[in-house]
């Protein structure tokens, strides 16, 4: 699989939630944050894209975003706390992991039966 580097600014509280998840899933003693952020972020992004595609989450439309002045943070009931965000991400990643395990099990059992 081809890879491209991606650089963006990330609020400290989001980065902390990412690192907390990463420490559970991909611990790494040789990093200052204690996890493999790349693997963690890929899991989060894959789960997020799938959730967006299946409609379980919805992003605000670009029109809603552009109506707000850039220097004003919009606070709505859709904003999750760090713990809520971490809990939802954990649930999604766990669900997707179980689905992937089941698919791999079925594929491997199918191969061994052939």
């Amino acid at each position: 699989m081809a890879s491209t580097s991606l650089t963006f600014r990330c609020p400290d509280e989001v980065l902390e939630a990412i690192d907390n998840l990463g420490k559970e899933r991909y611990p790494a003693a040789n990093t200052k944050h204690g996890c493999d952020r790349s693997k963690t972020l890929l899991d989060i992004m894959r789960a997020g894209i799938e959730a967006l595609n299946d409609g379980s989450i919805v992003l605000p439309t670009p029109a809603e975003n552009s109506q707000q002045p850039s220097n004003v943070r919009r606070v709505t009931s859709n904003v999750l706390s760090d713990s809520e965000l971490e809990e939802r991400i954990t649930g999604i990643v766990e669900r997707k992991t179980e689905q992937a395990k089941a698919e791999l099990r079925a594929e491997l059992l199918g191969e061994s039966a052939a």
Side-chain angles (χ1 to χ4, degrees):
M1 166 174 38
S3 330
T4 302
S5 178
L6 178 65
T7 304
F8 60 95
R9 296 193 183 279
C10 184
D12 290 338
E13 62 273 7
V14 174
L15 193 56
E16 183 178 343
I18 291 166
D19 286 346
N20 289 338
L21 274 171
K23 288 173 189 172
E24 293 174 18
R25 289 175 170 51
Y26 303 106
N30 59 340
T31 65
K32 67 179 178 181
H33 37 271
C35 68
D36 185 327
R37 280 184 179 163
S38 293
K39 288 180 181 178
T40 305
L41 283 167
L42 284 172
D43 281 356
I44 292 167
M45 287 187 289
R46 286 183 182 122
I49 290 168
E50 187 161 335
L52 287 165
N53 285 333
D54 71 17
S56 57
I57 60 171
V58 179
L59 293 177
T61 63
E64 290 173 6
N65 291 335
S66 65
Q67 292 174 355
Q68 298 293 323
S70 60
N71 62 346
V72 176
R73 272 193 144 169
R74 191 175 113 177
V75 178
T76 67
S77 61
N78 294 336
V79 175
L80 300 174
S81 70
D82 288 345
S83 61
E84 291 170 325
L85 177 63
E86 188 169 328
E87 183 179 317
R88 288 189 65 185
I89 290 170
T90 299
I92 291 167
V93 170
E94 286 174 355
R95 186 177 78 239
K96 299 305 173 188
T97 301
E98 288 306 314
Q99 289 172 351
K101 283 181 183 178
E103 290 171 10
L104 287 171
R105 250 187 233 108
E107 185 178 319
L108 291 171
L109 290 175
E111 288 177 4
S112 64

